[in-house]
Amino acid sequence: MRILITGGTGYIGSHTAVELLNSGYEVLIIDNLSNSNAGVADKIEKITGRKPIFSKTDLCDRSGLKEYFRENKNIDAVIHFAAFKAVGESVQKPLMYYSNNISGMINLLEEMSENKIENIVYSSSCTVYGEADKLPVTEDSPVKKAESPYGFTKQVGEQMLFDASKVSDLHSVILRYFNPTGAHDSALIGELPVGIPNNLVPYITQTAIGEREVLTVNGNDYDTPDGTNIRDYIHVVDLAKAHLSALDRILSRKSSEKAEVFNLGTGKGNSVMEVIKSFEKVSNKKLNYRIGPRREGDVVSIYSETKKANEVLGWKAERDIDNMMLTSWNWQKAISGYKK
Ligand code: WQD
């Protein structure tokens, strides 16, 4: 089976490519390298012993994408990761996000239709839930007004699949990720934020390694046990494995629905302080942090109900927050040439 991964040299895409290759799939990767580098394809080969077929291609370059599909036939399914994903940046540059994430996806879906590729696994996000009224969130929890242009592009992407699946042979599995973190056990691939990290865990590891002075905790006066925000952190390898289960489901036509949604989380929430304590425990380092003001757009708490993915996809997250911190720290040390 030939699977095309868009954004496959990115953080979640590269870990998914590893799991697919290890499971015997043939993997093609397109990426415009706006937030990753081509060397990741070599690392994927080093880990699996099998080479993904990489092409530098931009979903927003319609003619280039048309040519790609002309030259690469017999694709059985697409896993679509390629998108900008920094919540804060999307507030500052909304049109860049709408153009890249929405126009890029329209191009992809139209080319898939023209090439009779009927299966797509879509990288969506718990961001679509906004500040949920009831926790844990299930797939039937209301999708609320997006808190950012980024979140809105994920909602539009989902709606495109719901609508297109109704009037065509397109079958979709929509995966709503909670907070991906951690890195591959080999420490050969992991999260590579460009510039100052938006996300908590890379900021923690860059502070611990000495690349950042101090971690600022964005507020500790929330209505939570220790006053800091709660999130459902999920190991990127667990997340990658869920894509295998999603592919199996869609290729085997097990589902009666043509567009199916799954939450991908652990079902457990951890506060910012709990993440920091976990990191200090596994790294045996005292983290330099201070309490700062709240961050605009943060939801207070969100974590998932994982029953549907467990029972219908037959997938369950296996790794805990300590392993997420340990693999993140090992990865940070590997990329920073850290000597003890
Ligand atoms: C987590 C908590 C911050 C940095 C992410 C992705 C988004 C989506 C959902 C994929 C918050 C706090 C952070 C820092 C801090 N994923 N924090 N100091 O906001 O839940 O969103 O997951 O679609 O794309 O961005 O994750 O890691 O930014 O923040 O205190 O330096 O950590 O305020 O409470 P978030 P995050």
Side-chain angles (χ1 to χ4, degrees), residues 85 125 150 179 198-200 216-218 229 231 295 298:
K85 65 126 202 158
S125 164
Y150 161 77
N179 284 53
N198 292 293
N199 294 131
L200 175 64
T216 302
V217 173
N218 297 326
N229 291 152
R231 295 286 183 278
R295 181 175 73 174
D298 270 341

Side-chain angles (χ1 to χ4, degrees), residues 13 20 24 29 39 63 77 130 141 162 176 200 213 216 245 286 325 329:
L20 264 61
I29 291 177
S63 57
S141 294
F162 294 137
R176 290 176 181 165
L200 175 64
E213 185 54 39
T216 302
S245 310
K286 183 85 188 74
M325 292 306 106
W329 181 227

Side-chain angles (χ1 to χ4, degrees), residues 180-322:
T181 188
H184 194 263
D185 296 309
S186 64
L188 288 172
I189 53 174
E191 196 168 3
L192 271 173
V194 174
I196 302 174
N198 292 293
N199 294 131
L200 175 64
V201 176
Y203 209 109
I204 287 177
T205 58
Q206 287 187 15
T207 302
I209 204 105
E211 286 176 14
R212 304 277 163 214
E213 185 54 39
V214 60
L215 168 79
T216 302
V217 173
N218 297 326
N220 69 346
D221 57 352
Y222 286 99
D223 183 16
T224 61
D226 64 18
T228 61
N229 291 152
I230 291 169
R231 295 286 183 278
D232 183 338
Y233 296 92
I234 175 168
H235 198 289
V236 66
V237 172
D238 278 332
L239 202 53
K241 289 181 174 166
H243 291 74
L244 284 177
S245 310
L247 269 182
D248 174 56
R249 183 154 177 85
I250 204 167
L251 292 171
S252 62
R253 291 285 186 272
K254 282 178 188 153
S255 169
S256 55
E257 291 175 70
K258 288 177 68 186
E260 214 173 12
V261 177
F262 293 98
N263 282 342
L264 295 184
T266 62
K268 177 169 175 21
N270 280 114
S271 72
V272 174
M273 287 316 298
E274 286 170 338
V275 174
I276 291 171
K277 293 292 165 250
S278 166
F279 177 81
E280 290 182 327
K281 180 175 72 173
V282 301
S283 65
N284 200 22
K285 285 180 82 73
K286 183 85 188 74
L287 187 73
N288 184 22
Y289 68 89
R290 68 181 188 88
I291 305 297
R294 293 183 173 192
R295 181 175 73 174
E296 191 67 31
D298 270 341
V299 297
V300 181
S301 174
I302 183 165
Y303 52 92
S304 64
E305 164 57 73
T306 61
K307 202 160 161 284
K308 186 177 176 187
N310 301 158
E311 292 173 4
V312 176
L313 268 191
W315 165 88
K316 187 170 173 44
E318 292 160 4
R319 296 179 182 225
D320 64 11
I321 192 72
D322 288 350

Side-chain angles (χ1 to χ4, degrees), residues 37-217:
N37 66 74
V40 171
D42 300 329
K43 298 285 175 54
I44 292 168
E45 182 181 9
K46 197 166 174 199
I47 294 168
T48 63
R50 296 182 61 211
K51 193 172 183 55
I53 304 160
F54 172 73
S55 160
K56 185 176 183 298
T57 304
D58 192 328
L59 296 183
C60 294
D61 167 12
R62 187 61 187 267
S63 57
L65 190 64
K66 198 172 277 299
E67 189 189 335
Y68 179 83
F69 280 104
R70 213 180 9 255
E71 286 166 9
N72 295 274
K73 294 295 181 197
N74 307 320
I75 290 170
D76 297 289
V78 173
I79 305 183
H80 177 40
F81 293 104
F84 294 153
K85 65 126 202 158
V87 173
E89 183 186 53
S90 77
V91 174
Q92 303 309 320
K93 301 177 181 171
L95 296 184
M96 184 178 95
Y97 270 67
Y98 293 142
S99 166
N100 186 68
N101 293 8
I102 296 175
S103 308
M105 186 164 173
I106 292 170
N107 288 344
L108 174 67
L109 292 178
E110 288 182 337
E111 287 307 318
M112 283 177 63
S113 170
E114 281 171 33
N115 290 276
K116 305 212 176 343
I117 302 169
E118 297 176 353
N119 305 302
I120 184 168
V121 175
Y122 177 54
S123 164
S124 187
S125 164
C126 64
T127 310
V128 303
Y129 295 114
E131 185 78 71
D133 302 325
K134 207 161 123 348
L135 291 174
V137 286
T138 71
E139 288 79 0
D140 299 324
S141 294
V143 167
K144 301 178 103 177
K145 184 178 177 321
E147 311 257 333
S148 69
Y150 161 77
F152 185 60
T153 66
K154 287 299 173 184
Q155 291 177 347
V156 172
E158 291 191 0
Q159 194 59 48
M160 282 200 258
L161 295 174
F162 294 137
D163 294 341
S165 300
K166 282 194 193 101
V167 291
S168 71
D169 294 329
L170 183 68
H171 290 72
S172 334
V173 168
I174 294 163
L175 302 177
R176 290 176 181 165
Y177 308 151
F178 282 71
N179 284 53
T181 188
H184 194 263
D185 296 309
S186 64
L188 288 172
I189 53 174
E191 196 168 3
L192 271 173
V194 174
I196 302 174
N198 292 293
N199 294 131
L200 175 64
V201 176
Y203 209 109
I204 287 177
T205 58
Q206 287 187 15
T207 302
I209 204 105
E211 286 176 14
R212 304 277 163 214
E213 185 54 39
V214 60
L215 168 79
T216 302
V217 173

